[in-house]
Amino acid sequence: CRHDESVLPMKYRLILPGVIAAVLLFAACAPPPPLRDDTLLQDTSLTTTDSECTAPCWRGITPGETTWGDAMTILEDDATLENINVQEDDQSSAKAADFQQKGGASCCQIISNDGETVGVIFLRVAPTTTMGELLAAQGEPAYLVGSQYTDDQAVMNLIFPEKSLVAYAFVPGTTGSLTEDSEIVGILYLTPSDMDLLVKTSNLHTWDGYKSYEAYDTSEFDVTPSVTLTPTPEGG
């Protein structure tokens, strides 16, 4: 099984309406990997106070600011990470670097659309942080939307525009509900401009507390999102 074509997605493909959770599939073969996996990245950065590196900064890497070379140095010098694999796009300047927790499963990726500056950080994380802990540290998300992964797995995409952050909370399928004990299984950091594009081109619900997956789902035609935004040609 190969995932070469999806390893280097175009910048806007990552944030097209209705495809936010699809980035979770970048390393997926059949059958899809479980979303809750203790061998994924061990990371508590969403709940750890670090005045010098707050979202969307992760371990000193900030989308839109950190150069590709500096980011690679940070990854290579991090003793908790391994198997850093860089791929380049033959048809553009884009680059992507896959990496994983030392001794763990493939989990993570940074992407540069221009080959010069990091534009995206995507992390699949071990389920060690809960929704309650996330909200206590980061505040409430502005928007969210549900995305199905398998019959018994789904995620709630929690969108924090001011932090250029999307956090993915696990829900046990489309019949499940989001609670303060729901586990965070993924993190996406974007540039401010890409976050702005995501919000402007997506059908999103405004945050209204802990509710069922169905309450925040936009996959059905009879569901009217709390926020309906018009896609721009740039966003596809």
Side-chain angles (χ1 to χ4, degrees):
C1 177
R2 298 181 60 188
H3 59 276
D4 294 7
E5 292 182 357
S6 58
V7 165
L8 286 170
M10 291 301 292
K11 173 171 60 176
Y12 298 133
R13 179 181 173 186
L14 283 172
I15 56 176
L16 286 175
V19 201
I20 300 172
V23 72
L24 290 170
L25 303 176
F26 77 89
C29 300
L35 294 178
R36 299 162 71 232
D37 184 345
D38 291 333
T39 69
L40 295 173
L41 185 69
Q42 302 294 319
D43 188 83
T44 59
S45 58
L46 288 179
T47 57
T48 302
T49 301
D50 183 348
S51 60
E52 295 183 358
C53 186
T54 59
C57 174
W58 176 78
R59 300 194 186 184
I61 304 173
T62 303
E65 297 181 13
T66 306
T67 67
W68 181 260
D70 286 347
M72 291 304 300
T73 298
I74 291 171
L75 295 182
E76 291 167 354
D77 288 348
D78 191 327
T80 68
L81 306 177
E82 66 178 1
N83 293 341
I84 302 167
N85 178 39
V86 178
Q87 298 185 49
E88 299 185 3
D89 187 357
D90 293 337
Q91 299 180 350
S92 73
S93 300
K95 296 179 181 179
D98 297 326
F99 56 96
Q100 63 194 60
Q101 181 78 32
K102 190 171 184 178
S106 179
C107 64
C108 308
Q109 189 176 69
I110 62 171
I111 298 171
S112 172
N113 227 47
D114 60 9
E116 299 292 335
T117 305
V118 173
V120 175
I121 303 172
F122 172 65
L123 312 169
R124 291 184 63 210
V125 298
T128 57
T129 298
T130 67
M131 268 292 297
E133 292 169 335
L134 173 69
L135 267 59
Q138 301 291 341
E140 296 180 345
Y143 311 111
L144 73 167
V145 62
S147 299
Q148 186 175 4
Y149 182 73
T150 63
D151 289 342
D152 59 353
Q153 299 181 90
V155 291
M156 302 302 295
N157 306 267
L158 312 166
I159 302 169
F160 300 79
E162 293 185 0
K163 301 176 185 289
S164 297
L165 161 68
V166 180
Y168 303 91
F170 177 84
V171 178
T174 57
T175 59
S177 295
L178 188 66
T179 73
E180 64 178 7
D181 295 322
S182 296
E183 299 148 319
I184 303 304
V185 295
I187 305 169
L188 179 68
Y189 294 118
L190 303 170
T191 64
S193 60
D194 282 352
M195 174 55 71
D196 183 60
L197 180 62
L198 183 153
V199 172
K200 289 181 177 177
T201 60
S202 301
N203 290 329
L204 304 172
H205 291 278
T206 53
W207 166 255
D208 192 27
Y210 296 116
K211 290 190 173 183
S212 67
Y213 174 94
E214 183 179 9
Y216 288 123
D217 185 22
T218 60
S219 64
E220 300 297 331
F221 290 111
D222 60 351
V223 174
T224 302
S226 300
V227 177
T228 303
L229 299 162
T230 304
T232 64
E234 186 179 24

